[in-house]
Amino acid sequence: MPEMDLPGSAAVGLSRRLYLSFKQRILSGELSQGDVLPSTRELAKALGVSRNTVCAAYDMLWTEGYILNHPGAPSRVAPDLTLTPRDRSPTPQALPQPVLCPWDFHTGQPDLSLFPWSLWSHMLRDAAATLSVQAFAYGSPKGYEPLCVEIAHWLLRSRGMEVAPESVFITSGATQAFHLLVPMLHRPGCAFALEDPSHPGIRATVADRGFPLLWLPVDGQGADVSALHGQAVSAVYATPSHQFPLGGILSATRRTALVRMATEQNFYILEDDYDSEYRYIGAPVTPMHALAPERVIYVGTFSKTLFPALRIGFAILPEALRERWLHDRMYADVQNPVLEQAALAAFLRTRGVDRHLRTMRRTYSEKRKALLSALYTAFGEEALALGDASGLHMTLHFPGKHFGAPFAQACREAGVRIDSVSVYAARPQDYAGYLLLGYGHLTPAQIYDGIAALRICVATAALAE
Amino acid sequence: MPEMDLPGSAAVGLSRRLYLSFKQRILSGELSQGDVLPSTRELAKALGVSRNTVCAAYDMLWTEGYILNHPGAPSRVAPDLTLTPRDRSPTPQALPQPVLCPWDFHTGQPDLSLFPWSLWSHMLRDAAATLSVQAFAYGSPKGYEPLCVEIAHWLLRSRGMEVAPESVFITSGATQAFHLLVPMLHRPGCAFALEDPSHPGIRATVADRGFPLLWLPVDGQGADVSALHGQAVSAVYATPSHQFPLGGILSATRRTALVRMATEQNFYILEDDYDSEYRYIGAPVTPMHALAPERVIYVGTFSKTLFPALRIGFAILPEALRERWLHDRMYADVQNPVLEQAALAAFLRTRGVDRHLRTMRRTYSEKRKALLSALYTAFGEEALALGDASGLHMTLHFPGKHFGAPFAQACREAGVRIDSVSVYAARPQDYAGYLLLGYGHLTPAQIYDGIAALRICVATAALAE
């Protein structure tokens, strides 16, 4: 009996190590078809282990077909098992580490420090204690029904939207809604119309599928929908309450024109209402959905109002799409986890969401004022703030400026993270003088200091050009 | 001033109801372009409400572009806003209710009554208390890194699999892994090879994309991989540890042949290890993954071991696929919620999963014995139990029988829910005499009574034919 080098770490039992050793020798060709294995008694003695250990290893080899057993005959290696030695894969590289950015104006980050974490923990505990055991089995791909009901109530009291709980479909964030809807709405030969500029997520979702894109230019009234005339369109993606990133509100004239075209040209409108809860002057803008509930798919999310890692959003679906949605969600990932859905239903029912939003509206409004004041101090009339007084970001226009490589370099060196709007645009050159500032996650002090740092970057870049 | 019928329920504020009333009249054409609105003072007086209420309503109309304001002039309706009246959508139908089924042998349902719920609540509370606030912002699409590490450790101690945490990618259940992998692995003109019979989920995932299918017949040794010779293949989906639904283990000869073909013909192998934790005789079957980690994508889930509504699974990805995966997951739904990931990491670290699995293995083994005994009592030699002593389901073969419409009718009437294997098969006629019994969620008493009910259904159907 040759010496056996048993592979595997100590965490693996002796039987398994023995099994692995034989398997390696069989696969490498060291032991080949018909070779006789030592009897369990012999091997146990040779290795100084119990016979049960060896029997268990042989049993594993036999179960998986590496060896053949015949009553009264020794175990033999099964036929046709040799693999050519495979190349070991190179050591995986470490994932890239985020760069240190003391002044981070990246968008889409709510302020999580003011979220009522202990109240939320209480909601989770309550949900865990009161849900039936059966609720933790597979549920409906539509979502946890009490949450659908609470979202319908909340949409009415927060935005005046009247929707039936039957039309509310829970998603894993707004991202998943678009991921499911884009292939669902695609019609061969037809384009998806997106605002230019717009969020890169929806662009990637359409482009990854290989579907054609049609760009709608954006001005102070939102997207110019007249570009849709005579076009073959699968769907129009729009942010009517707060255009991302330029901040305008889609005018009523364009809303009605868009709905009229959707009916006449037979396409759907994807209404992305990503942050209309945060409007600092006047009431929230009313969603387009009410104009044509059978043509408009309204998509909302709790990522900005509560926190992103909750992964709960929703789509308000016309009846014609519901059956297909249930099928597609079933084979995408079945459903959201039930616990957070139940906790969120209770958080809405007890008006915890409403109270949190009131607090945050005040807080973000203060931050926005700090940002405007810091910008005026730093840039005076040189920079114009665009868009409605709402949301967690602001777009700045520096007329005549062009933020190119020297500016990017200056920001990297100063630790300022900021995007030019050109990153979001189909024609980047049109937006080379526009910057995008996310400020929701920053304190007023960070905003002042960050804008001062930004001013230096702008000045440095101007000198370098 | 005509009388105003203010729409909307009492949950909507008075300003919003006033705004909605004007909006409806504008959209319906009752008020049209250039029409003058009453002054805020007049209207407040007429309605007996405060002037602020009216101002707020006008402000909403103006913000959204329904009316035009010019200093010193009355508010007027903006141009081009009339919509033709839309048809009200019919009242949505109630979702279909599940039929009452006292004897439910549907597969894929673990026994949730024995899960340590209070320990799990404790894990959730701990996770909520110890995670940093930043952990609730957007995270990596790869998954919560401490969970990836714990899964790598757990795969080693439970199955002898050696994988690096870098290769572990968290998913929202195994379903999502296949949803992401199928388009990722697709090559034009190449088929996805599936076992026949197999789970309908993977079939729908491939067919929904319009990708071609190639069927591998299954026998007692698992899938017959020789059918792959000379075929253009994108990927092979297989359940080597416990074929679904027939229950066999893919033999070592076929495993090595499959890996050899994957290398030579340049395709990937999708290894679905959906329930190998539950093996009642001998050690768990070793996954194929170790044979060729660069060719085999191993997919696991906690839906069967813990509970389905947790929605956590994972894929072990070869390096070549990782970058594409991160992109695709980012635009599918970004990530899993962080809370359950952190709780599961702690549950694995403290060996709670291992203890629960030991308990369940004993429990399910008892249930399996009860099922075998009930089947012998009911059917004697008439029915053969197929497959390995593992998992949460069993396939029965009734040689010479054909379970058709009369049997389905008898089951409906008796309240027995059971699938024929033909539902899962590409050639249903080959499996008309095979039944599939999920028993993990049933008590031994339910199993005995259910099999007695099944016996009556089989006998009734035989009489009707």
Side-chain angles (χ1 to χ4, degrees):
Chain A
M1 182 67 213
E3 216 170 79
M4 295 198 72
D5 179 29
L6 296 184
S9 85
V12 186
L14 195 57
S15 296
R16 187 169 285 281
R17 287 163 64 201
L18 196 53
Y19 149 85
L20 285 174
S21 164
F22 273 110
K23 189 166 134 183
Q24 276 179 10
R25 293 165 71 197
I26 292 169
L27 293 173
S28 70
E30 195 186 323
L31 289 172
S32 58
Q33 171 171 1
D35 280 359
V36 173
L37 269 66
S39 76
T40 52
R41 189 192 305 267
E42 281 170 2
L43 188 56
K45 205 173 156 197
L47 294 175
V49 299
S50 85
R51 194 167 162 201
N52 278 346
T53 303
V54 178
C55 287
Y58 277 33
D59 203 45
M60 284 150 87
L61 290 166
W62 173 76
T63 304
E64 296 173 23
Y66 288 98
I67 60 174
L68 304 173
N69 284 342
H70 294 289
S75 298
R76 288 176 184 276
V77 175
D80 206 19
L81 287 168
T82 309
L83 284 179
T84 50
R86 60 181 166 77
D87 296 322
R88 294 299 298 180
S89 59
T91 314
Q93 292 173 346
L95 288 175
Q97 294 299 309
V99 181
L100 187 70
C101 259
W103 320 119
D104 181 356
F105 289 105
H106 196 66
T107 57
Q109 304 180 74
D111 185 343
L112 302 180
S113 68
L114 294 172
F115 186 74
W117 293 110
S118 73
L119 179 59
W120 178 247
S121 283
H122 183 76
M123 295 288 157
L124 287 167
R125 257 205 308 280
D126 256 24
T130 51
L131 279 169
S132 76
V133 164
Q134 211 41 46
F136 292 94
Y138 287 107
S140 161
K142 180 175 184 296
Y144 180 66
E145 206 46 44
L147 177 59
C148 298
V149 171
E150 288 304 329
I151 287 176
H153 291 172
W154 178 65
L155 289 175
L156 180 64
R157 66 178 187 269
S158 68
R159 299 162 171 75
M161 270 180 82
E162 296 195 64
V163 304
E166 290 81 10
S167 66
V168 181
F169 289 70
I170 306 300
T171 65
S172 181
T175 302
Q176 190 183 41
F178 299 119
H179 172 72
L180 293 174
L181 286 165
V182 163
M184 204 179 294
L185 302 181
H186 168 67
R187 294 183 302 165
C190 297
F192 279 84
L194 309 188
E195 298 165 332
D196 177 26
S198 60
H199 194 280
I202 183 72
R203 199 203 301 199
T205 302
V206 175
D208 283 354
R209 288 275 183 165
F211 300 155
L213 290 165
L214 173 70
W215 295 106
L216 308 178
V218 172
D219 58 28
Q221 308 282 300
D224 178 5
V225 298
S226 67
L228 294 165
H229 274 301
Q231 300 284 346
V233 172
S234 290
V236 172
Y237 166 90
T239 48
S241 297
H242 190 217
Q243 205 278 327
F244 187 88
L246 298 182
I249 298 172
L250 189 64
S251 72
T253 309
R254 288 184 177 173
R255 284 174 188 233
T256 47
L258 180 55
V259 165
R260 236 185 269 123
M261 280 190 276
T263 308
E264 286 162 17
Q265 297 173 224
N266 190 28
F267 60 75
Y268 282 97
I269 299 162
L270 287 173
E271 176 173 28
D272 184 1
D273 189 7
Y274 63 101
D275 73 358
S276 80
E277 293 86 356
Y278 296 128
R279 186 147 192 267
Y280 311 119
I281 299 173
V285 175
T286 305
M288 279 191 72
H289 179 265
L291 292 180
E294 294 307 313
R295 281 285 148 202
V296 178
I297 301 158
Y298 177 88
V299 174
T301 175
F302 291 95
S303 293
K304 309 290 181 286
T305 43
L306 305 188
F307 54 92
L310 177 65
R311 309 311 304 136
I312 301 185
F314 57 91
I316 309 297
L317 292 182
E319 209 180 341
L321 298 176
R322 294 177 196 169
E323 198 178 317
R324 167 78 189 271
W325 173 285
L326 292 177
H327 174 94
D328 287 4
R329 177 84 204 259
M330 175 64 93
Y331 295 115
D333 65 346
V334 189
Q335 60 171 95
N336 284 52
V338 72
L339 184 71
E340 280 95 344
Q341 292 190 80
L344 178 55
F347 201 42
L348 284 163
R349 189 171 55 247
T350 56
R351 304 291 189 270
V353 172
D354 309 54
R355 279 191 298 275
H356 175 58
L357 282 176
R358 277 198 296 275
T359 307
M360 295 316 291
R361 213 176 280 123
R362 275 196 304 275
T363 307
Y364 290 137
S365 168
E366 291 303 316
K367 293 182 184 203
R368 189 168 182 277
K369 280 184 209 148
L371 179 60
L372 285 169
S373 145
L375 286 170
Y376 191 76
T377 307
F379 301 109
E381 309 287 336
E382 201 189 339
L384 308 170
L386 305 184
D388 188 49
S390 64
L392 307 180
H393 76 270
M394 188 185 288
T395 299
L396 281 188
H397 182 201
F398 291 77
K401 271 224 182 303
H402 175 103
F403 294 106
F407 176 70
Q409 165 96 15
C411 288
R412 256 194 310 279
E413 284 167 9
V416 173
R417 184 180 180 194
I418 194 165
D419 278 338
S420 159
V421 173
S422 56
V423 177
Y424 299 83
R427 292 158 303 154
Q429 65 283 8
D430 292 5
Y431 291 96
Y434 292 72
L435 294 179
L436 189 56
L437 289 93
Y439 59 84
H441 57 298
L442 302 174
T443 63
Q446 287 171 323
I447 289 171
Y448 281 110
D449 293 350
I451 294 299
L454 177 64
R455 190 177 66 84
I456 295 168
C457 296
V458 171
T460 312
L463 284 177
E465 267 160 7
Chain B
M1 182 64 212
E3 215 171 79
M4 295 197 72
D5 178 28
L6 296 185
S9 85
V12 186
L14 196 57
S15 295
R16 188 169 285 280
R17 287 163 66 201
L18 194 55
Y19 149 85
L20 285 173
S21 163
F22 273 110
K23 189 166 133 181
Q24 275 179 13
R25 293 164 73 197
I26 292 170
L27 293 173
S28 70
E30 196 187 322
L31 289 172
S32 59
Q33 171 172 2
D35 281 358
V36 172
L37 269 66
S39 76
T40 53
R41 189 192 305 267
E42 282 169 4
L43 188 57
K45 204 172 156 197
L47 294 175
V49 299
S50 85
R51 196 166 161 204
N52 279 345
T53 303
V54 178
C55 286
Y58 277 32
D59 200 46
M60 284 149 87
L61 290 166
W62 173 76
T63 304
E64 296 174 24
Y66 287 97
I67 60 174
L68 304 174
N69 284 340
H70 294 289
S75 298
R76 289 174 181 277
V77 174
D80 205 20
L81 287 168
T82 309
L83 283 179
T84 51
R86 61 183 164 77
D87 295 322
R88 293 299 299 180
S89 59
T91 315
Q93 293 172 347
L95 288 176
Q97 294 299 309
V99 180
L100 187 71
C101 258
W103 320 120
D104 181 356
F105 289 106
H106 197 66
T107 57
Q109 305 180 73
D111 184 343
L112 302 181
S113 69
L114 294 173
F115 186 73
W117 292 110
S118 73
L119 179 59
W120 177 247
S121 285
H122 183 76
M123 295 287 156
L124 287 167
R125 260 205 306 281
D126 256 22
T130 51
L131 279 167
S132 75
V133 164
Q134 211 41 45
F136 293 94
Y138 286 107
S140 161
K142 181 176 184 295
Y144 180 65
E145 205 47 42
L147 177 58
C148 298
V149 170
E150 287 304 329
I151 287 176
H153 290 171
W154 178 65
L155 289 174
L156 180 64
R157 67 179 187 269
S158 68
R159 298 161 171 76
M161 270 179 84
E162 296 194 62
V163 304
E166 290 82 8
S167 65
V168 181
F169 289 70
I170 306 300
T171 64
S172 181
T175 302
Q176 189 182 43
F178 299 120
H179 172 72
L180 293 175
L181 286 165
V182 163
M184 203 180 294
L185 301 182
H186 168 66
R187 293 183 301 166
C190 296
F192 280 84
L194 309 188
E195 298 165 332
D196 177 26
S198 59
H199 195 279
I202 183 74
R203 200 204 299 201
T205 302
V206 175
D208 283 356
R209 289 274 183 165
F211 300 154
L213 290 165
L214 173 70
W215 295 105
L216 306 179
V218 172
D219 58 28
Q221 309 283 298
D224 178 4
V225 298
S226 68
L228 293 165
H229 275 300
Q231 300 284 345
V233 172
S234 291
V236 173
Y237 166 90
T239 49
S241 296
H242 190 216
Q243 204 279 328
F244 188 89
L246 298 183
I249 298 172
L250 189 63
S251 71
T253 308
R254 288 184 177 173
R255 286 175 187 229
T256 47
L258 181 54
V259 165
R260 236 185 271 123
M261 281 190 278
T263 309
E264 286 163 16
Q265 296 173 225
N266 191 28
F267 60 75
Y268 282 98
I269 299 162
L270 288 172
E271 176 173 27
D272 184 0
D273 189 7
Y274 61 102
D275 72 358
S276 80
E277 293 85 357
Y278 297 128
R279 187 148 192 267
Y280 311 120
I281 298 174
V285 175
T286 305
M288 277 189 73
H289 179 264
L291 291 181
E294 295 307 313
R295 280 287 146 200
V296 178
I297 301 159
Y298 177 88
V299 174
T301 175
F302 291 95
S303 293
K304 309 291 181 286
T305 43
L306 305 187
F307 55 92
L310 177 65
R311 310 309 307 134
I312 300 186
F314 57 92
I316 309 296
L317 292 182
E319 210 181 340
L321 299 175
R322 294 178 196 169
E323 197 178 318
R324 168 79 189 271
W325 173 284
L326 292 177
H327 174 94
D328 287 6
R329 178 85 206 259
M330 175 64 93
Y331 296 114
D333 65 346
V334 189
Q335 61 172 93
N336 284 52
V338 72
L339 184 71
E340 280 95 344
Q341 292 189 79
L344 178 54
F347 201 42
L348 283 163
R349 191 171 52 245
T350 56
R351 303 293 188 270
V353 172
D354 308 56
R355 278 190 298 275
H356 175 57
L357 282 176
R358 277 198 295 276
T359 307
M360 295 316 291
R361 212 176 282 125
R362 273 196 305 275
T363 307
Y364 290 138
S365 169
E366 291 304 316
K367 293 182 183 203
R368 188 168 183 277
K369 279 185 208 147
L371 179 61
L372 285 169
S373 145
L375 287 170
Y376 191 77
T377 307
F379 300 109
E381 308 288 335
E382 202 188 338
L384 308 171
L386 304 185
D388 188 50
S390 64
L392 307 179
H393 77 270
M394 189 185 289
T395 299
L396 281 188
H397 182 201
F398 291 77
K401 272 225 182 301
H402 176 104
F403 295 106
F407 176 70
Q409 165 96 14
C411 287
R412 257 195 309 278
E413 285 168 8
V416 173
R417 184 179 181 197
I418 193 164
D419 279 338
S420 159
V421 174
S422 57
V423 177
Y424 300 83
R427 293 157 304 154
Q429 65 283 6
D430 291 4
Y431 290 96
Y434 291 72
L435 294 180
L436 189 57
L437 289 94
Y439 60 84
H441 58 298
L442 303 173
T443 63
Q446 287 171 323
I447 289 171
Y448 281 110
D449 293 352
I451 294 299
L454 176 65
R455 190 178 67 85
I456 295 167
C457 296
V458 172
T460 312
L463 285 176
E465 268 162 8

